[in-house]
Amino acid sequence: MKDIAAITSVVPHRHPALLVDRIAEIEPGRRLVAYKAVTLAEPAYRDVPEDAANEEYDYPLGQLLESWAQCAVLLSCWERPNANVLDGQVVLLARTRDVRMLGPVRPGSVVVHEVTMVRALGDSFITSGRSTVDGHPVLEVGQLTLALRPAELLRAPGSTTDGRS
């Protein structure tokens, strides 16, 4: 098991943007299984009224996909971590294909993300996989492509590494 300290040593995401709680299994360059616990403390539920119907507590697809994508980044970058996006390589989402929401995710759910490396091409990675809750599929990702690019190429002209111009 890999905990938050291991996760944050690889990626720059921090609370509340970090949407991965624990890595259960990792075979670098091959596959990863990780967990995300969904709770009422999620920012997505901040404006849901107390008398809301169950469906209003469905975890947003964008948040679920972001959580899965963070797992894809962890798998892709496990052997070349960079927790500081101001230096080194920055991970960019290049493309998603065949993403399907298959069922609701609500507070109290523990989402199990499974990510498989389809192909690694230098600084680009093609991944696929799915997410389940209690063994039931809730998300399917046909393909998610990531690309690593040097931070200095992405910086605005005249800016510094501390974010000031």
Side-chain angles (χ1 to χ4, degrees), residues 33-116:
V33 177
Y35 300 110
K36 163 66 178 143
V38 176
T39 72
L40 275 174
E42 302 282 342
Y45 300 123
R46 186 175 300 130
D47 297 325
V48 176
E50 287 187 31
D51 61 345
N54 246 1
E55 296 77 31
E56 292 185 62
Y57 287 97
D58 287 358
Y59 199 58
L61 172 59
Q63 292 292 105
L64 186 60
L65 183 58
E66 171 66 22
S67 181
W68 190 94
Q70 288 180 16
C71 293
V73 170
L74 284 161
L75 176 61
S76 301
C77 297
W78 193 257
E79 295 181 307
R80 48 173 139 181
N82 183 22
N84 178 2
V85 296
L86 298 177
D87 295 313
Q89 299 279 320
V90 176
V91 181
L92 303 174
L93 174 64
R95 179 181 185 191
T96 59
R97 208 171 91 197
D98 301 325
V99 174
R100 293 184 13 206
M101 184 84 165
L102 303 171
V105 175
R106 296 194 177 120
S109 298
V110 175
V111 180
V112 179
H113 296 300
E114 300 171 31
V115 181
T116 301

Side-chain angles (χ1 to χ4, degrees), residues 129-143:
R130 67 185 193 139
S131 300
T132 59
V133 171
D134 296 328
H136 302 286
V138 294
L139 179 72
E140 189 175 89
V141 180
Q143 190 176 80

